[in-house]
Amino acid sequence: MSVQAPSSSAATQQQPDLREHVHEAARRARVAARRLGSLPTAVKDRALHAAADEVLAHRDQILAANAEDLTAARDADTPTAMLDRLALNSQRLDGIAAGLRQVAGLADPVGEVMRGYTLRNGLRLRQQRVPLGVVGMIYEGRPNVTVDAFGLTLKSGNAVLLRGSSSAAKSNEALVVALRTALVGEGLPADAVQLLSAADRATVTHLIQARGLVDVAIPRGGAGLIEAVVRDAQVPTIETGVGNCHVYVHEAADLDIAEQILLNSKARRPSVCNAAETLLVDAAIADEAMPRLRNALQDAGVTVHGGGPDGADEADLRREYLSMDIAVAVVDGVDAAIAHINEYGTGHTEAIVTTNLAAAQRFTEQVDAAAVMVNASTAFTDGEQFGFGAEIGISTQKLHARGPMGLPELTSTKWIAWGEGHTRPA
Amino acid sequence: MSVQAPSSSAATQQQPDLREHVHEAARRARVAARRLGSLPTAVKDRALHAAADEVLAHRDQILAANAEDLTAARDADTPTAMLDRLALNSQRLDGIAAGLRQVAGLADPVGEVMRGYTLRNGLRLRQQRVPLGVVGMIYEGRPNVTVDAFGLTLKSGNAVLLRGSSSAAKSNEALVVALRTALVGEGLPADAVQLLSAADRATVTHLIQARGLVDVAIPRGGAGLIEAVVRDAQVPTIETGVGNCHVYVHEAADLDIAEQILLNSKARRPSVCNAAETLLVDAAIADEAMPRLRNALQDAGVTVHGGGPDGADEADLRREYLSMDIAVAVVDGVDAAIAHINEYGTGHTEAIVTTNLAAAQRFTEQVDAAAVMVNASTAFTDGEQFGFGAEIGISTQKLHARGPMGLPELTSTKWIAWGEGHTRPA
């Protein structure tokens, strides 16, 4: 069912045909993608509901496979937080199936006419959304990404090659069996979703270098994974999700609001990419604001790095903690805050707390990030919150998509011109 | 004036600080880009007119520099076609200056609100166009690209790092002196346009690997250049301009129209990327259509490869001739034509000639290319023709932009959220 040519034992030896194996999967994905690209919305939606049904019908097998992954992970002394990401249970499976049905309810981006006009010579031109084709997803622990990625790529008419973590290999395999069963049941090509072996790191390299076979690679995971993919990729790539996000408390801030935004940005879910990692406080109000915000953080269980006379050190300021830790620094005015953020930030989400309009406008204009918040928590940068219904990741690059990516971000465009023998004058 | 740290003699030795030299230029470009990103449209337009004035004011210096490049190129036995691309004259300079004024007249994409709405919780969200930041252009012979790239990147609020061909080094240098003089005269940062030394190939490598400093690399030139850039790049890249374009004559084609579209697609300007390189003829009409189209091509001075009983060979079918040559093959119906094109094409421009609606619709839907023409010449794929006013290149990839790229394609977006202390519920 799922693509599994290299057994884990064979793959740990250097396998000469692993590249060909990945390319072969990509070629099958391309064939499937052509079919998917012109499916009516109703057919895709029916397939999404069928996939939800099959995930629930395969509940026992999926949970048994997940239990195996969890046992292996516990044996390998995996930290609790990662075990939690890996774990499935009946309720989480219900949520995963509900997610598929939710995607079925979203608008189909394919075929949307973006621009269209008739040229002076009578040539009728329109630019339409089309699927990207074959999407390569490289991701870490969470098995729910397997199903989310399938749902979003199917709805947008794309085939997907999944390269998950080896720690979730059995869970992913069981999930993909359910998804492929649903496709076949609907008369659609099973190869629209394929799971690549996670046993060999080289699978990732072959996937992201499959020029002409894979249209886009989307790495989703920690900074190390994303850095490696971007460095080695030869297919177009979308960087996602590394967030060294700042909350900047301007001298004209309402400190009650500052405190609640800071705590929400840091402590609501510290392990996610939109969580705040650095607090910047204006020098003009540092004497009053710093002790108060520091105490509030500490009361919430957050460890504060710096913020005293010496400030946080360079390493703290660069760090994406993803934990109950925060770096603190004092800056001298909005321009210094902007300069600091543009130097240390990762272009994800940056927030200012202020009552001053000019400062807010300057900050939103000059800060170079996917999302800029004025008097609002960094936690809002999220496809669901933005009203997209679902997201495949949060882009921190400027090309193609920036910020949360939903269905339209999984499409490209095509120009179509209708003429009656039109030729171009010399 | 222009960035010229490594003298050509020093650069031909392996220069350890060449990387730092490129990075330093990129850092200066970033500083300039911040300034450009928030300039009012009127200021940018004034600078574009000033640049046009300075290009004309520097006419003698530019033409003298170009004469030096031409002499060196002739001494190196450069082919006539390439000499013509390299050559400037008074009339061409007038055209280059007029191009800058034309860009001044185009709409400013920066600040355009793409989407905007108020969330249920009252958070006011909008997605706005912002400049990309620092654009790296890697290109070949033509010095006019130097000025075109400057005009389009300035208008879209970007700084540009130019890495032209060594064959045009003196011409480019003289042009960039004029452009930088104009910027300084308008009180704008000269480093918004910088010319990197063309003396060392490693400059390209350092430019396209300057992660965090360069926001996008755009290679513009032959297939070899583009392939090399895509392979080695670590910054996001837009592939441009390789076009193995097809004209497919369907069995229900009007042969008069087929002939005129074929000749226009092939022979109007054979050296450009939207020129047709392969003719596909339906088997059902091959007996009648093939001799006629073959003769028409030959009468126009085009060498026909294949099209006899044996057809063109594999190498012909893959080739982007960029000359008065064309490959010819017979295909059995619209689906075979689509399959052929999706196998051999480069995703640039594909044309069908037919009177049959279903065939036209199937072709436009199933062919995977940036532009698909129905009864129209492939020559129409062009920013100017599409009404963009100017283009920076034609993207043949699916990410970010596909087809001719004008000003909006030189922008990214930023989400801005305005709240009043909004926090996200757990």
Side-chain angles (χ1 to χ4, degrees), chain A residues 34 55 85 87 133 153 169 177 192 203 211 241 262 304 340 345 361 400:
Chain A
R34 297 245 186 266
V55 164
R85 288 176 175 216
T153 51
V177 165
T203 322
R211 297 240 303 139
L262 175 64
V304 177
H340 181 103
Q361 282 181 326
H400 185 72

Side-chain angles (χ1 to χ4, degrees), chain A residues 211 227 364 375 398 414, chain B residues 132 211 227 364 367 414 421:
Chain A
R211 297 240 303 139
E227 186 70 22
T364 59
N375 298 325
K398 293 188 187 172
K414 181 196 277 188
Chain B
L132 287 166
R211 297 239 306 138
E227 185 71 22
T364 58
V367 162
K414 183 197 275 187

